[in-house]
Amino acid sequence: QRLSRLIGNVLTFNRGRRQALQLNRRSGDVDDTIRTVLANFAPSLAAKGIESRFEGGVTEPTQFDADALEQILGNLLSNVEKYCRSGDAVAITSSHSDGLVEIVLHDTGPGIDPSERTRIFEPFYRSSNNLTDGVAGTGIGLSIARDLARLHGGDLSLLPAERGAKFRVTLDVSS
């Protein structure tokens, strides 16, 4: 699954650089998509001793690209899988208001150093410290996730958190 996600990221990154990224919006259930992605990660998170929780709040079908959302969440959860340790947790919440879906993913892992916060969305940027050294990755996951959220009329941002990393994904689902 990691290799498949990596290949998908490389292909998406390449399409994005050629300005060929397009969404395939369909009516669907955002919360079901989140549950599916979380279920795909559940075995590896559980094996590492990382608890996962989801509180859905999108109660009606919306127009969105499920594949794009899966890739966004897959990239965020992949980082949880890589950097969190046993005893850490990840919580995901979703809400829908005025044509905008908001998904917040908050983990209790090591977080992101304040000096790195402005660079984490740059393609191929990988911080180097005791936590990240020796962890496989390309450094394009967050860049791709942000590009896909913005293509969706929304954004991906890093929110302040007392502990861990907290990301907010917004998607315009009004069309």
Side-chain angles (χ1 to χ4, degrees):
Q1 285 181 338
R2 273 193 83 189
L3 181 57
S4 181
R5 285 192 303 271
L6 177 61
I7 291 168
N9 277 343
V10 170
L11 293 173
T12 300
F13 182 79
N14 189 40
R15 279 194 305 273
R17 297 304 162 236
R18 290 181 299 154
Q19 307 299 319
L21 276 179
Q22 294 183 6
L23 293 180
N24 184 17
R25 291 178 189 258
R26 293 187 183 151
S27 180
D29 188 322
V30 168
D31 285 353
D32 279 350
T33 301
I34 296 168
R35 282 186 199 93
T36 297
V37 175
L38 197 52
N40 289 336
F41 278 87
S44 62
L45 293 175
K48 287 190 74 175
I50 301 167
E51 179 188 344
S52 60
R53 295 183 309 274
F54 172 58
E55 184 179 320
V58 183
T59 57
E60 58 192 49
T62 58
Q63 295 290 318
F64 72 104
D65 185 322
D67 292 334
L69 180 55
E70 285 180 12
Q71 192 163 12
I72 292 166
L73 294 173
N75 284 326
L76 293 172
L77 285 168
S78 178
N79 286 340
V80 170
E81 180 183 55
K82 285 187 243 184
Y83 301 116
C84 287
R85 300 198 188 324
S86 181
D88 287 337
V90 60
I92 302 174
T93 60
S94 68
S95 61
H96 179 214
S97 178
D98 298 325
L100 195 68
V101 163
E102 179 180 275
I103 301 163
V104 175
L105 184 145
H106 185 191
D107 69 59
T108 60
I112 298 167
D113 189 271
S115 66
E116 308 285 328
R117 291 174 184 240
T118 59
R119 301 199 60 204
I120 61 169
F121 294 105
E122 294 176 14
F124 303 107
Y125 179 77
R126 295 192 71 218
S127 62
S128 181
N129 59 37
N130 290 340
L131 177 67
T132 60
D133 292 346
V135 174
T138 60
I140 60 174
L142 289 176
S143 173
I144 288 169
R146 179 179 262 183
D147 286 350
L148 289 170
R150 287 180 172 175
L151 186 63
H152 230 294
D155 206 354
L156 170 62
S157 54
L158 178 64
L159 301 176
E162 285 187 32
R163 181 175 177 200
K166 187 176 187 179
F167 288 91
R168 177 178 49 215
V169 178
T170 55
L171 306 174
D172 181 345
V173 296
S174 61
S175 41

